[in-house]
């Protein structure tokens, strides 16, 4: 099981922009021009992959790509040009609430007739669909909590202490075998999926890339620290009930003990994290910086919006009897 690979290979291009960035990183071509970037679909495969590649340089990078590319000034200019339409689309399409409490309170009310991905997998999903879900989610779960760690230097007081406490749990509480990214790799091994970091990038669609890119976007910009806290709060508030359904899905489909354990762990841990995030992280941040209330709400709304897009893609494919992946498992 390959869970120690630090540098994945560069992915296949999905259009002019991602192709140009890959060529630039390989020293075989120039960066894309602003005209090409402005013409791209902000939520489409080409732009989202291009952004993902730029952001990945801040995580583990890529094999045979110079580590100094992380701070290449020309590449950073292109990244900024890619981020602008993505962020504008999220602000225009996702914004619903003006205040953090309103946005989070709405997440606490689950519909009686829920029909999301976790409901589908629990009630009727097949093992092949569980495997596809794990492959899509591996883009985040194999770096779980890493994007959120960037906000720690941008917080202080109660917010910083609460965020650090939750992150400590996500990173295994000091035990390497309990790091959540490791637990997800164990889940993937149960499902007989390749556990190498970044292996499933070529298979995942733009919808999955956008959910990860959102975290990187919010995490890398101090100006978006409120949105990152909102994103984190949304994840923790919705994680426990969703994880309970996914744990039931793992048992029903015979996914394996490690697969069951990953979601069982999140049922318990995230029920506690939800309280810490709302009481200490969100409340602590807004006590110090009340002007970020709308930004926290935006982070919650943007998370819901992108998760709903991913769910629509997954369920649309599965209910049609088709693979949700660009390259089937």
């Amino acid at each position: 099981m390959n869970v120690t690979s630090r540098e994945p290979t560069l992915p296949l291009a999905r259009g002019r922009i991602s192709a140009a960035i890959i060529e630039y990183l390989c020293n075989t071509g120039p960066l894309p021009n602003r005209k090409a970037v402005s013409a791209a679909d902000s939520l489409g495969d080409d732009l989202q992959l291009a952004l993902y590649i730029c952001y990945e340089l801040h995580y583990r990078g890529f094999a045979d790509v110079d580590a100094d590319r992380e701070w290449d000034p020309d590449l950073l200019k292109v990244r900024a040009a890619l981020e602008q339409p993505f962020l504008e689309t999220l602000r225009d399409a996702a914004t619903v609430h003006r205040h953090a409490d309103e946005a989070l309170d709405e997440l606490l009310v689950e519909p009686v007739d829920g029909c999301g991905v976790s409901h589908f997998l629990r009630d009727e999903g097949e093992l092949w669909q569980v495997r596809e879900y794990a492959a899509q989610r591996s883009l985040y779960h194999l770096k779980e909590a890493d994007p959120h760690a960037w906000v720690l230097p941008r917080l202080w007081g109660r917010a910083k202490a609460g965020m650090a406490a939750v992150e400590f749990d996500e990173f295994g509480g000091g035990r390497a075998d309990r790091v959540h990214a490791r637990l997800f790799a164990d889940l993937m091994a149960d499902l007989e999926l390749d556990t190498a970091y970044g292996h499933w990038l070529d298979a995942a669609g733009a919808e999955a890339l956008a959910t990860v890119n959102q975290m990187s976007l919010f995490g890398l910009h101090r100006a978006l620290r409120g949105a990152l806290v909102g994103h984190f709060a949304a994840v923790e508030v919705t994680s426990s009930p969703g994880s309970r359904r996914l744990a039931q899905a793992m048992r029903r489909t015979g996914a394996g003990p490690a697969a069951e354990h990953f979601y069982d762990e999140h049922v318990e841990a995230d029920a506690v994290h939800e309280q810490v995030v709302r009481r200490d992280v969100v409340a602590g941040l807004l006590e110090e910086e009340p002007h970020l209330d709308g930004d926290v709400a935006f982070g919650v709304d943007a998370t819901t919006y992108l998760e709903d897009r991913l769910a629509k893609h997954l369920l649309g494919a599965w209910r049609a009897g088709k693979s949700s992946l660009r390259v089937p498992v």
Side-chain angles (χ1 to χ4, degrees):
M1 181 171 60
N2 182 8
V3 296
T4 60
S5 174
R6 294 187 176 182
E7 297 182 340
T9 59
L10 281 163
L12 299 174
R14 301 185 190 181
R16 291 171 57 196
I17 301 171
S18 54
I21 287 177
I22 291 169
E23 290 172 4
Y24 183 75
L25 293 176
C26 294
N27 300 308
T28 59
L31 284 164
N33 59 45
R34 187 171 289 273
K35 182 178 179 181
V37 172
S38 62
D41 178 358
S42 63
L43 296 177
D45 272 299
D46 192 24
L47 187 143
Q48 287 300 318
L49 178 62
L51 255 186
Y52 191 97
I53 293 169
C54 290
Y55 287 144
E56 191 57 39
L57 298 173
H58 297 288
Y59 294 101
R60 298 194 190 183
F62 295 99
D64 301 321
V65 173
D66 193 320
D68 288 341
R69 290 292 198 184
E70 178 182 7
W71 300 110
D72 182 309
D74 294 326
L75 185 59
L76 289 175
K77 289 179 183 178
V78 171
R79 195 192 83 188
L82 295 168
E83 289 174 328
Q84 182 180 353
F86 182 39
L87 183 58
E88 288 177 352
T89 294
L90 291 180
R91 291 199 183 279
D92 292 343
T95 301
V96 176
H97 301 93
R98 295 180 60 190
H99 301 291
D101 282 345
E102 295 173 358
L104 290 170
D105 286 345
E106 191 167 305
L107 288 182
L108 291 171
V109 181
E110 285 210 320
V112 176
D113 57 344
C115 56
V117 172
S118 62
H119 297 86
F120 175 88
L121 292 176
R122 178 195 63 187
D123 298 336
E124 56 184 296
E126 299 177 19
L127 188 58
W128 68 272
Q129 293 160 333
V130 169
R131 297 179 76 222
E132 287 198 355
Y133 182 73
Q136 298 262 20
R137 287 299 193 187
S138 70
L139 298 184
Y140 167 62
H141 280 305
L142 292 181
K143 60 163 69 85
E144 185 165 346
D146 290 349
H148 302 118
W150 278 319
V151 82
L152 282 168
R154 293 153 184 178
L155 303 176
W156 57 89
R158 192 151 52 100
K160 181 188 283 284
M163 191 75 187
V166 175
E167 287 284 270
F168 183 66
D169 283 350
E170 300 285 349
F171 292 132
R175 290 180 52 185
D177 63 322
R178 293 187 61 82
V179 172
H180 284 191
R182 175 61 199 231
L183 296 181
F184 195 80
D186 293 340
L187 171 151
M188 295 178 74
D190 263 3
L191 294 170
E192 299 182 347
L193 295 172
D194 192 311
T195 64
Y197 180 93
H199 175 83
W200 297 100
L201 178 53
D202 282 327
E207 297 83 3
L209 298 184
T211 64
V212 185
N213 284 339
Q214 173 192 222
M215 287 181 268
S216 301
L217 171 64
F218 292 168
L220 284 167
H221 292 272
R222 181 179 176 274
L224 295 172
R225 62 195 180 281
L228 191 282
V229 166
H231 166 79
F232 192 60
V235 170
E236 297 300 331
V237 166
T238 58
S239 176
S240 187
S243 292
R244 181 175 291 106
R245 289 187 289 270
L246 289 169
Q248 293 168 345
M250 299 301 140
R251 292 187 175 88
R252 188 180 61 77
T253 59
E260 296 172 16
H261 175 67
F262 177 81
Y263 288 109
D264 284 336
E265 171 78 8
H266 281 69
V267 171
E268 298 180 14
D270 291 344
V272 176
H273 293 170
E274 173 196 335
Q275 300 302 314
V276 175
V277 170
R278 288 209 67 174
R279 181 186 66 243
D280 294 327
V281 182
V282 175
L285 173 67
L286 297 183
E287 184 177 86
E288 296 280 354
E289 300 187 274
H291 62 283
L292 294 180
D293 188 19
D295 287 352
V296 176
F298 166 64
V300 175
D301 288 343
T303 302
T304 301
Y305 175 76
L306 291 179
E307 288 294 330
D308 286 348
R309 287 184 75 252
L310 176 58
K312 182 178 179 180
H313 168 71
L314 294 174
L315 294 175
W318 292 342
R319 285 176 175 146
K322 300 177 182 178
S323 172
S324 67
L325 298 171
R326 291 167 52 84
V327 181
V329 174

